[in-house]
Amino acid sequence: MEVVTSILSLHEARNRLQGSLGFVPTMGYLHEGHLSLVRAARAQNSSVAVSIFVNPTQFGPNEDLDKYPRDLERDTELLEQRGADLVWAPTEEIMYPPGFQTTVTVAEVTKPLEGAHRPGHFQGVTTVVAKLFNVVQPDRAYFGQKDAQQVVVIRQMVRDLGFNVELRVSPIVREPDGLALSSRNALLNPAEREAATVLYRALTAAVEEWQDGWREAAHLRETMASTTTAERLARLEYVSVADPETLHELEDNAERALLSMAVYIGSTRLIDNMLVGVSEE
Ligand code: PAF
C-alpha cells in the first residue's frame, strides 16, 4: 500500500494501478462504517484508493473542526490490513493552495435539513469531492447512507457535471445498542454515549409506527421529537420526514420517506436516518 501526500505523487501512484479503481473519500479516524465501504470497494474493483482529509471548508465557524478526531497512523494501519492499495492524505495547502478560488455549488437539494442548519457545509463538501474525483479519477466511489443528504447532493453533482464515476452507497453500520457509527462518537463522555442512543430510539419508534400503518408525516415527526426531548442530555436540532429524492418535507402521507434528525448530545452534534418504503441500495 502506498501512502502519498502531493497531487503529483498521487497521479504517479494512480497510473501504476491496473483495472477498475474503487475510491473511498474519508475524513479519517476510521471506524467500521468506513471499513465497510473499503470492503465493498475491495470486492468490486481491481484496486482501492482511500483519501484522508479533514476538510475545513465543510465546517462552520462554530463547529468542531479543531476537536475533530485524527489518527493518521492508526488509519493507515487499518487500511493496510483491509487491502487498500493507495492512501492519499493531502495537507490543507495541497487541497487549498494560496489563491484557491473555485467552488462547486449544488442548489436545491442542499437547502433543507443539514444545509439549513450548516450554512456553507455542502459547498465545502461538493468542492472537495469534485477535486478528489478530478485528481483520483476513480471508476466507482463509495459513500455511507449515514450522510443521506450528502449522497443525494453528490449524486446531483455527478449527474449535473458529468463526472465519469459510479456512486455506490453502503448501509449505516450501528453499535449493538443502535448508535450509528461516527468519528464524532469518540467525543462523547460515558453518560453522553448512553444518551446518544436516543437518535436510534426515536427513528425506530417512528419506523415501527409506519410499519403499523401510521402514515401522517406530522405524526411521525412528533414521535421522533417527543422521544428525543424525553432524553435529558439531548437537544433536538431538527426532525424531518422528507421525500427521499427531492428532500422536500412531506406534508401529508409518508408512503416513501427519509426520516432524519440532528441532535446535540452535550456539545457533540450527531445525525442519523432511516428510510421507509424504499429499499436501501
Ligand atoms: O463524508 C465525509 O467524510 C466527508 O463529507 C467527505 C465526503 C470525505 C468530504 O470531505
Side-chain angles (χ1 to χ4, degrees):
M1 184 180 85
E2 276 192 78
V3 182
V4 300
T5 305
S6 73
I7 291 184
L8 182 63
S9 50
L10 186 277
H11 280 313
E12 288 169 353
R14 165 70 182 100
N15 289 339
R16 284 191 287 274
L17 297 175
Q18 306 282 318
S20 65
L21 178 63
F23 174 50
V24 184
T26 80
M27 298 206 299
Y29 212 72
L30 304 179
H31 51 64
E32 265 310 311
H34 299 111
L35 298 176
S36 74
L37 304 179
V38 174
R39 217 169 7 255
R42 181 71 282 162
Q44 296 166 12
N45 299 278
S46 323
S47 305
V48 175
V50 179
S51 64
I52 297 177
F53 179 61
V54 181
N55 175 33
T57 65
Q58 68 188 75
F59 289 78
N62 300 316
E63 292 183 359
D64 53 356
L65 174 62
D66 291 341
K67 58 178 186 175
Y68 198 85
R70 293 160 169 87
D71 192 342
L72 184 60
E73 204 178 305
R74 177 178 158 277
D75 287 347
T76 49
E77 268 167 34
L78 285 170
L79 292 171
E80 173 103 68
Q81 288 162 11
R82 300 309 199 279
D85 300 284
L86 175 57
V87 175
W88 184 28
T91 61
E92 204 173 317
E93 289 67 35
I94 289 169
M95 287 310 271
Y96 299 110
F100 186 94
Q101 52 183 296
T102 302
T103 52
V104 176
T105 307
V106 175
E108 289 310 311
V109 290
T110 65
K111 286 181 183 160
L113 307 176
E114 290 299 284
H117 292 88
R118 303 184 67 189
H121 167 69
F122 283 117
Q123 187 179 81
V125 170
T126 45
T127 300
V128 83
V129 171
K131 180 155 184 172
L132 292 167
F133 283 179
N134 259 336
V135 174
V136 174
Q137 295 284 311
D139 297 288
R140 300 191 181 92
Y142 293 79
F143 292 89
Q145 175 62 18
K146 162 93 184 340
D147 293 299
Q149 187 175 14
Q150 172 170 278
V151 169
V152 173
V153 169
I154 292 172
R155 183 167 282 138
Q156 186 73 42
M157 177 187 81
V158 164
R159 193 186 306 141
D160 289 352
L161 298 184
F163 279 98
N164 191 17
V165 57
E166 185 190 331
L167 299 187
R168 295 273 166 106
V169 182
S170 293
I172 297 175
V173 180
R174 297 182 181 280
E175 298 282 6
D177 64 5
L179 177 65
L181 296 197
S182 163
S183 306
R184 289 188 170 93
N185 295 350
L187 304 171
L188 301 168
N189 68 31
E192 291 169 346
R193 168 63 189 81
E194 215 167 291
T197 57
V198 74
L199 289 91
Y200 177 72
R201 286 186 274 122
L203 287 162
T204 306
V207 168
E208 282 173 358
E209 287 189 334
W210 188 89
Q211 286 165 344
D212 288 345
W214 289 87
R215 287 293 184 273
E216 297 88 350
H219 175 82
L220 299 174
R221 281 190 285 270
E222 173 50 32
T223 297
M224 289 154 68
S226 59
T227 309
T228 308
T229 48
E231 173 55 64
R232 200 176 46 86
L233 295 180
R235 182 164 58 81
L236 180 62
E237 191 168 61
Y238 69 81
V239 291
S240 160
V241 176
D243 179 283
E245 276 95 38
T246 64
L247 305 181
H248 290 159
E249 211 54 35
L250 295 173
E251 295 309 330
D252 304 317
N253 280 354
E255 295 301 338
R256 304 172 67 251
L258 173 70
L259 278 49
S260 67
M261 59 196 302
V263 178
Y264 278 92
I265 305 289
S267 59
T268 304
R269 185 177 183 278
L270 299 177
I271 59 171
D272 199 354
N273 70 84
M274 290 185 188
L275 287 162
V276 290
V278 188
S279 55
E280 286 192 39
E281 286 165 77

